[in-house]
Short mmCIF file of all heavy atoms in Angstrom, two decimals:
data_model
loop_
_atom_site.label_atom_id
_atom_site.label_comp_id
_atom_site.label_asym_id
_atom_site.label_seq_id
_atom_site.Cartn_x
_atom_site.Cartn_y
_atom_site.Cartn_z
N LEU A 3 14.71 72.37 -4.59
CA LEU A 3 13.38 71.89 -5.03
C LEU A 3 12.52 73.11 -5.52
O LEU A 3 11.90 73.02 -6.64
CB LEU A 3 12.68 71.21 -3.92
CG LEU A 3 11.28 70.65 -4.21
CD1 LEU A 3 11.29 69.69 -5.39
CD2 LEU A 3 10.58 70.00 -2.96
N TYR A 26 3.87 74.83 -37.86
CA TYR A 26 4.66 74.41 -38.94
C TYR A 26 4.36 73.02 -39.46
O TYR A 26 4.25 72.77 -40.74
CB TYR A 26 6.17 74.54 -38.64
CG TYR A 26 7.13 73.94 -39.65
CD1 TYR A 26 7.45 74.59 -40.71
CD2 TYR A 26 7.54 72.56 -39.54
CE1 TYR A 26 8.27 73.90 -41.81
CE2 TYR A 26 8.36 71.97 -40.45
CZ TYR A 26 8.64 72.63 -41.52
OH TYR A 26 9.44 72.06 -42.56
N LEU A 27 4.26 72.14 -38.53
CA LEU A 27 4.00 70.75 -38.91
C LEU A 27 2.69 70.57 -39.65
O LEU A 27 2.54 69.80 -40.63
CB LEU A 27 4.05 69.86 -37.69
CG LEU A 27 5.41 69.51 -37.03
CD1 LEU A 27 5.33 68.57 -35.93
CD2 LEU A 27 6.46 69.04 -38.05
N VAL A 29 1.12 72.91 -41.46
CA VAL A 29 1.21 73.50 -42.73
C VAL A 29 2.04 72.64 -43.74
O VAL A 29 1.67 72.29 -44.83
CB VAL A 29 1.66 74.92 -42.67
CG1 VAL A 29 1.90 75.49 -44.06
CG2 VAL A 29 0.65 75.81 -41.90
N LYS A 37 4.73 60.99 -50.72
CA LYS A 37 3.99 59.81 -51.22
C LYS A 37 2.74 59.65 -50.42
O LYS A 37 2.72 59.63 -49.10
CB LYS A 37 4.87 58.55 -51.02
CG LYS A 37 4.26 57.26 -51.55
CD LYS A 37 5.22 56.13 -51.30
CE LYS A 37 4.64 54.79 -51.80
NZ LYS A 37 5.61 53.68 -51.65
N ILE A 43 -7.39 48.54 -44.66
CA ILE A 43 -8.85 48.59 -44.77
C ILE A 43 -9.50 48.35 -43.37
O ILE A 43 -9.21 47.37 -42.68
CB ILE A 43 -9.32 47.45 -45.71
CG1 ILE A 43 -8.68 47.71 -47.13
CG2 ILE A 43 -10.78 47.43 -45.88
CD1 ILE A 43 -8.97 46.61 -48.16
N LYS A 109 -19.78 63.17 -28.53
CA LYS A 109 -20.83 63.87 -29.28
C LYS A 109 -20.88 63.39 -30.69
O LYS A 109 -21.86 63.77 -31.39
CB LYS A 109 -20.66 65.37 -29.23
CG LYS A 109 -20.81 65.96 -27.75
CD LYS A 109 -20.56 67.56 -27.87
CE LYS A 109 -20.71 68.10 -26.50
NZ LYS A 109 -20.51 69.62 -26.52
N PRO A 119 -17.75 56.48 -31.83
CA PRO A 119 -17.22 56.58 -30.50
C PRO A 119 -17.39 55.17 -29.85
O PRO A 119 -18.41 54.47 -29.97
CB PRO A 119 -18.21 57.48 -29.83
CG PRO A 119 -19.43 57.59 -30.75
CD PRO A 119 -18.98 57.26 -32.04
N MET A 140 -9.40 69.77 -38.97
CA MET A 140 -9.12 70.42 -40.15
C MET A 140 -8.43 69.48 -41.26
O MET A 140 -7.52 69.94 -41.91
CB MET A 140 -8.21 71.67 -39.89
CG MET A 140 -8.88 72.65 -38.95
SD MET A 140 -7.74 74.13 -38.71
CE MET A 140 -7.69 74.84 -40.35
N ALA A 151 5.25 64.56 -34.74
CA ALA A 151 5.57 65.66 -33.87
C ALA A 151 6.60 65.14 -32.71
O ALA A 151 7.58 65.77 -32.43
CB ALA A 151 4.42 66.37 -33.14
N LEU A 157 14.40 64.71 -31.94
CA LEU A 157 15.58 65.09 -32.61
C LEU A 157 16.04 66.54 -32.30
O LEU A 157 17.16 66.85 -32.03
CB LEU A 157 15.42 65.01 -34.13
CG LEU A 157 16.56 65.43 -34.96
CD1 LEU A 157 17.85 64.55 -34.79
CD2 LEU A 157 16.24 65.52 -36.49
N SER A 176 31.31 60.29 -26.18
CA SER A 176 30.01 59.74 -25.77
C SER A 176 28.90 60.44 -26.28
O SER A 176 27.86 59.90 -26.77
CB SER A 176 30.05 59.57 -24.26
OG SER A 176 30.95 58.62 -23.76
N LEU A 179 28.52 59.89 -30.07
CA LEU A 179 27.90 58.59 -30.39
C LEU A 179 26.44 58.51 -30.08
O LEU A 179 25.61 58.07 -30.91
CB LEU A 179 28.58 57.42 -29.55
CG LEU A 179 29.92 57.04 -29.98
CD1 LEU A 179 30.57 56.04 -29.08
CD2 LEU A 179 29.98 56.37 -31.49
N TYR A 191 13.47 56.57 -39.53
CA TYR A 191 12.03 56.50 -39.30
C TYR A 191 11.29 57.23 -40.36
O TYR A 191 10.32 56.86 -40.95
CB TYR A 191 11.76 57.08 -37.85
CG TYR A 191 10.26 57.32 -37.69
CD1 TYR A 191 9.49 56.25 -37.24
CD2 TYR A 191 9.68 58.52 -38.02
CE1 TYR A 191 8.11 56.39 -37.11
CE2 TYR A 191 8.28 58.69 -37.86
CZ TYR A 191 7.47 57.66 -37.36
OH TYR A 191 6.10 57.80 -37.22
N TYR A 197 5.88 52.92 -43.33
CA TYR A 197 5.71 51.66 -42.60
C TYR A 197 4.99 51.94 -41.35
O TYR A 197 4.36 50.95 -40.75
CB TYR A 197 7.16 51.07 -42.16
CG TYR A 197 7.94 50.64 -43.36
CD1 TYR A 197 9.34 50.22 -43.21
CD2 TYR A 197 7.46 50.69 -44.64
CE1 TYR A 197 10.10 49.85 -44.23
CE2 TYR A 197 8.21 50.24 -45.71
CZ TYR A 197 9.59 49.76 -45.54
OH TYR A 197 10.37 49.41 -46.54
N TRP A 202 0.55 48.63 -35.12
CA TRP A 202 -0.58 48.51 -34.31
C TRP A 202 -1.20 49.79 -33.77
O TRP A 202 -2.40 49.95 -33.71
CB TRP A 202 -0.18 47.59 -33.14
CG TRP A 202 -1.37 47.20 -32.24
CD1 TRP A 202 -1.78 47.78 -31.03
CD2 TRP A 202 -2.32 46.16 -32.50
NE1 TRP A 202 -2.90 47.10 -30.62
CE2 TRP A 202 -3.28 46.14 -31.45
CE3 TRP A 202 -2.55 45.24 -33.58
CZ2 TRP A 202 -4.37 45.30 -31.40
CZ3 TRP A 202 -3.61 44.38 -33.54
CH2 TRP A 202 -4.51 44.42 -32.49
N ILE A 204 -1.35 52.71 -35.15
CA ILE A 204 -2.16 53.47 -36.11
C ILE A 204 -3.45 52.69 -36.51
O ILE A 204 -4.40 53.35 -36.55
CB ILE A 204 -1.28 53.62 -37.37
CG1 ILE A 204 -0.09 54.64 -37.08
CG2 ILE A 204 -2.11 54.19 -38.53
CD1 ILE A 204 -0.57 56.04 -36.74
N ALA A 206 -5.03 50.08 -34.81
CA ALA A 206 -5.91 49.56 -33.78
C ALA A 206 -6.09 50.37 -32.52
O ALA A 206 -7.19 50.20 -31.98
CB ALA A 206 -5.39 48.10 -33.42
N ARG A 208 -6.98 53.36 -30.19
CA ARG A 208 -7.79 54.57 -30.17
C ARG A 208 -6.86 55.70 -29.67
O ARG A 208 -6.03 55.46 -28.85
CB ARG A 208 -9.06 54.47 -29.52
CG ARG A 208 -9.93 53.46 -30.11
CD ARG A 208 -11.40 53.41 -29.43
NE ARG A 208 -11.35 52.98 -28.05
CZ ARG A 208 -11.46 51.72 -27.63
NH1 ARG A 208 -11.43 50.76 -28.60
NH2 ARG A 208 -11.44 51.49 -26.41
N LEU A 209 -7.24 56.95 -30.04
CA LEU A 209 -6.41 58.09 -29.61
C LEU A 209 -6.91 58.71 -28.31
O LEU A 209 -7.91 59.44 -28.27
CB LEU A 209 -6.39 59.16 -30.67
CG LEU A 209 -5.41 60.36 -30.53
CD1 LEU A 209 -4.02 59.80 -30.41
CD2 LEU A 209 -5.58 61.38 -31.67
N MET A 212 -3.11 58.04 -23.40
CA MET A 212 -2.02 57.15 -23.49
C MET A 212 -1.14 57.42 -24.76
O MET A 212 0.14 57.59 -24.62
CB MET A 212 -2.46 55.73 -23.55
CG MET A 212 -1.36 54.68 -23.60
SD MET A 212 -1.90 53.00 -23.64
CE MET A 212 -2.52 52.82 -25.31
N PRO A 315 26.71 54.68 -24.53
CA PRO A 315 27.75 55.69 -24.51
C PRO A 315 27.88 56.37 -23.13
O PRO A 315 28.96 57.08 -22.92
CB PRO A 315 27.22 56.63 -25.55
CG PRO A 315 26.40 55.84 -26.50
CD PRO A 315 25.71 54.90 -25.63
N LEU A 333 7.68 47.95 -21.21
CA LEU A 333 6.52 48.24 -22.15
C LEU A 333 6.28 47.13 -23.17
O LEU A 333 5.18 46.82 -23.41
CB LEU A 333 6.88 49.63 -22.81
CG LEU A 333 5.86 49.95 -24.00
CD1 LEU A 333 4.47 50.38 -23.36
CD2 LEU A 333 6.39 51.17 -24.80
N ILE A 368 15.53 32.19 -25.19
CA ILE A 368 15.51 32.79 -23.82
C ILE A 368 14.10 33.15 -23.44
O ILE A 368 13.64 32.79 -22.42
CB ILE A 368 16.48 33.99 -23.73
CG1 ILE A 368 17.98 33.56 -23.97
CG2 ILE A 368 16.33 34.73 -22.41
CD1 ILE A 368 18.93 34.63 -23.84
#
Side-chain angles (χ1 to χ4, degrees):
L3 180 60
Y26 169 81
L27 288 185
V29 174
K37 182 179 180 181
I43 299 176
K109 295 180 180 180
M140 298 180 65
L157 178 62
S176 293
L179 283 177
Y191 169 87
Y197 295 174
W202 185 262
I204 293 294
R208 296 188 294 274
L209 187 61
M212 181 180 72
L333 171 71
I368 294 179

